[in-house]
């Protein structure tokens, strides 16, 4: 492949087979890989306790710290996230990837403390000054979040990839978990859907969607704080498995059924048109295939099903509870035949 130069316009999305969280391993395949890897309680002798691990497929791992006498209990939140370019602008990609990685800490009710960069770069193909722009974008978002960036790790790779491993802190008595839902709670969604189809259109055509970029770089910090202030204990962020996929995981972990009012779900401008014009990623199609056995779709049309399964990148929080300013899109009810019901 010919080496790109600064004088030649570079479309980063053309250097990767997919983009953003649509590149995730499909949820069903991932669960097959992870099956049997759980360790029983007490298998590791330590003075810490794993509060959240592989068991429920939550957004991050959470471990308690030994508390000094008279000091409040604390927990460490640990996560990592990286992906191929979701937009062509390197600075925007860096900002999006960092916001997405930080989101897993916010989704657990924590605050990020320190992050390290994860960078894969085709150094013989793409100029390294583009990589610098990616890292600058990540640093700016981390700075906005009040999170240190303390270096990281890089490799020479045929596809560019970027993200962060993030460590945060949380109050172990005030976590947001995907297994803490209970019947009767409303479901609030803090960002509109449609990021996946707009990003796929951008990759295919080069069209820029400023509304999508603005949504993806928005931190979930305020939404997390608002959820905690409202007394919420159950949440997840909506990323590569789409709203339906993450709903399925939350409902299964909490042993409830999620009922969604499809008319109440917000979408980005242009999202429906992108679905209509065929810009549906393979990741979205795999999401829909995975959730279909567990979902009562009712009379929901095909385009809406794709949007509800759309593989989001740096999407919003789905909170079991009311969050000021966020639309209520459904509710949790007693567990039934299906994990998710659309009305």
């Amino acid at each position: 492949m010919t080496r790109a130069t600064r004088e030649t316009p570079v479309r980063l999305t053309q250097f990767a087979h997919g983009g953003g969280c649509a590149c995730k391993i499909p949820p069903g395949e991932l669960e097959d890989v992870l099956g049997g890897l759980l360790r029983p309680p007490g298998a590791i002798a330590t003075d810490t306790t794993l509060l959240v691990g592989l068991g429920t497929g939550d957004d991050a791992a959470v471990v308690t710290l030994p508390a000094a006498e008279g000091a409040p209990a604390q927990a460490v939140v640990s996560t990592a996230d990286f992906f191929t370019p979701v937009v062509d602008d390197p600075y925007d990609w860096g900002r999006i990837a960092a916001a997405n990685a930080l989101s897993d800490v916010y989704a657990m009710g924590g605050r990020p403390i320190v992050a390290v960069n994860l960078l894969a770069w085709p150094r013989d193909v793409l100029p390294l000054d583009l990589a610098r722009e990616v890292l600058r974008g990540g640093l700016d978002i981390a700075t906005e979040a009040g999170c240190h960036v303390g270096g990281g790790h890089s490799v020479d790779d045929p596809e560019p990839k970027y993200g962060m491993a993030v460590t945060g802190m949380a109050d172990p008595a005030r976590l947001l978990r995907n297994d803490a839902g209970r019947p009767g709670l409303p479901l609030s969604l803090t960002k509109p859907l449609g990021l996946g189809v707009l990003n796929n259109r951008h990759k295919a055509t080069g069209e820029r969607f400023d509304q999508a970029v603005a949504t993806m770089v928005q931190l979930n910090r305020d939404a997390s704080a608002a959820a905690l202030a409202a007394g919420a204990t159950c949440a997840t962020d909506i990323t590569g498995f789409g709203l339906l996929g993450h709903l399925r995981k939350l409902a299964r972990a909490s042993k409830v059924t999620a009922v969604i009012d499809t008319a109440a779900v917000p979408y980005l401008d242009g999202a429906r048109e992108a679905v209509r014009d065929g810009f549906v990623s393979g990741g979205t199609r795999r999401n829909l295939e995975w959730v279909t056995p567990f979902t009562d779709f009712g009379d929901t049309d095909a385009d809406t099903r794709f949007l509800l399964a759309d593989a989001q990148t740096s999407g919003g929080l789905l909170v079991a509870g009311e969050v000021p300013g966020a639309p209520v899109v459904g509710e949790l009810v007693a567990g039934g035949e299906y994990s998710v019901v659309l009305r």
Side-chain angles (χ1 to χ4, degrees), residues 227-242:
L228 289 171
T233 59
C234 178
T236 187
D237 64 347
I238 306 303
T239 54
F241 299 151

Side-chain angles (χ1 to χ4, degrees), residues 136-317:
R136 185 172 70 88
L139 178 61
D140 282 355
I141 286 294
T143 301
E144 180 184 340
C147 177
H148 298 291
V149 178
H153 183 66
S154 63
V155 295
D156 189 346
D157 190 277
E159 283 189 326
K161 304 176 182 74
Y162 174 65
M164 288 178 163
V166 186
T167 301
M169 300 296 295
D171 180 345
R174 300 185 68 225
L175 292 176
L176 299 173
R177 308 173 52 134
N178 71 357
D179 63 353
R182 61 182 188 273
L185 289 174
L187 290 168
S188 300
L189 182 63
T190 66
K191 287 185 184 181
L193 303 182
L195 292 164
V197 290
L198 291 178
N199 289 339
N200 206 32
R201 186 165 204 153
H202 171 68
K203 177 178 171 61
T205 68
E207 296 174 77
R208 179 180 169 88
F209 299 98
D210 290 335
Q211 71 275 29
V213 173
T215 299
M216 289 185 286
V217 302
Q218 179 185 346
L219 292 171
N220 280 326
R221 173 183 55 197
D222 293 347
S224 177
L228 289 171
T233 59
C234 178
T236 187
D237 64 347
I238 306 303
T239 54
F241 299 151
L243 176 63
L244 291 182
H246 290 285
L247 265 176
R248 153 69 177 159
K249 293 175 69 177
L250 185 152
R252 180 178 60 184
S254 296
K255 298 180 174 59
V256 296
T257 289
V259 179
I260 296 298
D261 176 3
T262 57
V265 177
Y267 300 103
L268 288 165
D269 290 343
R272 281 201 173 273
E273 291 77 8
V275 173
R276 178 199 64 198
D277 295 339
F279 296 102
V280 178
S281 70
T284 293
R285 295 180 187 276
R286 291 188 290 271
N287 288 343
L288 188 58
E289 180 181 2
W290 182 62
V291 301
T292 292
F294 315 108
T295 304
D296 177 359
F297 289 100
D299 59 359
T300 307
D301 63 85
D303 285 0
T304 299
R305 295 184 191 190
F306 278 132
L307 285 169
L308 293 173
D310 190 37
Q312 305 297 278
T313 296
S314 193
L317 299 185

